[in-house]
Amino acid sequence: MIVANKITNTTIQAIEETEMLLSEKDLQKAVDLISKRKQIDLYGIGESAIVAYDASIKFIRINKNVFFSMAETAQRLQAINSNDEHVAIVISYTGETDAPLEIAKILKNNNTPIISITGNSKNRLVKYADCSLFVSNIESTYRTSAAASRTTSLYLIDIFLFLIAFGLFENCGPEISFSFSLTKLIISVHKINFPSANPSEKNCLVVKDGL
């Protein structure tokens, strides 16, 4: 149980630190960029690819046009074919990995807005980003496991999902503020039913397990 407790405590600490790094202004900007574009393109290599894949499925579930491929070559081709009607979410814990940096440069040349998700503010990737969001850097750069960084990145994507979903279904429930009480909501449950402000309205957003 020592190992289990260690992992649990590290994960909780990483999420709490990520919450402290969140900025309402930056979240609003990221949500606006995603909501106003026709296409969401996700980029990530290695462990970041797992986060990008998870995000792609979630965005599809709220009827967004999404691209993601595990193949680095396909990611590069998508970047080459992108334009200002796309928004790119580039995920890289260090912000120093060659492939995401090269992709970011291509995206910038194509005037594609970039949202970066990295583990610290001092990296080259943020220089290309129109909006930079950060997760806890509790893990060292030369880590053997990416458990905490993966979890915090997924946590950040879940916040995007909730905020964008409420924007799409704003007539189906009360307005949601950018209160960071969302943190407890996302961590503790994935079974949420926000009732309609008007009981006669249909198609209200219901979030269940597996979102």
Side-chain angles (χ1 to χ4, degrees):
M1 291 300 294
I2 294 176
V3 173
N5 289 337
K6 177 69 174 178
I7 293 174
T8 300
N9 292 335
T10 300
T11 301
I12 292 172
Q13 181 183 344
I15 291 175
E16 290 175 344
E17 289 181 1
T18 300
E19 178 191 4
M20 294 176 64
L21 293 170
L22 293 179
S23 158
E24 180 176 334
K25 180 180 178 180
D26 291 336
L27 277 176
Q28 181 67 67
K29 185 174 182 179
V31 169
D32 287 345
L33 285 172
I34 294 170
S35 300
K36 294 176 181 178
R37 293 310 188 280
K38 293 182 178 180
Q39 175 80 26
I40 302 170
D41 298 330
L42 291 131
Y43 300 94
I45 305 298
E47 291 290 340
S48 296
I50 297 174
V51 178
Y53 173 75
D54 181 84
S56 70
I57 299 300
K58 291 176 177 178
F59 283 126
I60 289 171
R61 289 186 175 184
I62 58 171
N63 200 30
K64 304 294 286 185
N65 294 321
V66 179
F67 164 84
F68 174 69
S69 172
M70 287 285 186
E72 183 180 328
T73 300
Q75 291 187 33
R76 289 176 185 272
L77 290 173
Q78 182 68 8
I80 291 169
N81 291 314
S82 68
N83 54 49
D84 59 4
E85 293 186 344
H86 294 223
V87 60
I89 301 176
V90 184
I91 307 166
S92 173
Y93 182 71
T94 64
E96 295 290 344
T97 307
D98 288 342
L101 286 170
E102 292 169 7
I103 287 171
K105 185 176 181 179
I106 295 169
L107 293 167
K108 203 66 177 178
N109 289 336
N110 287 343
N111 297 315
T112 303
I114 300 171
I115 299 169
S116 67
I117 299 177
T118 64
N120 64 80
S121 60
K122 297 179 180 180
N123 61 74
R124 288 183 288 168
L125 182 58
V126 299
K127 296 179 181 178
Y128 293 101
D130 297 275
C131 178
S132 299
L133 298 171
F134 306 103
V135 299
S136 167
N137 62 355
I138 194 171
E139 292 174 337
S140 65
T141 302
Y142 303 101
R143 62 204 192 282
T144 56
S145 172
S149 60
R150 183 173 62 248
T151 299
T152 50
S153 297
L154 290 169
Y155 156 74
L156 199 52
I157 294 295
D158 278 348
I159 292 178
F160 284 167
L161 185 74
F162 273 78
L163 297 177
I164 293 168
F166 275 104
L168 294 174
F169 293 87
E170 59 185 0
N171 295 323
C172 290
E175 293 184 359
I176 188 165
S177 70
F178 278 82
S179 166
F180 293 129
S181 62
L182 277 175
T183 304
K184 295 180 181 178
L185 183 69
I186 294 168
I187 297 171
S188 62
V189 290
H190 271 177
K191 287 184 178 180
I192 307 162
N193 182 10
F194 290 92
S196 170
N198 182 345
S200 64
E201 290 179 355
K202 297 181 180 180
N203 301 323
C204 290
L205 177 65
V206 177
V207 183
K208 297 181 178 180
D209 277 341
L211 183 70

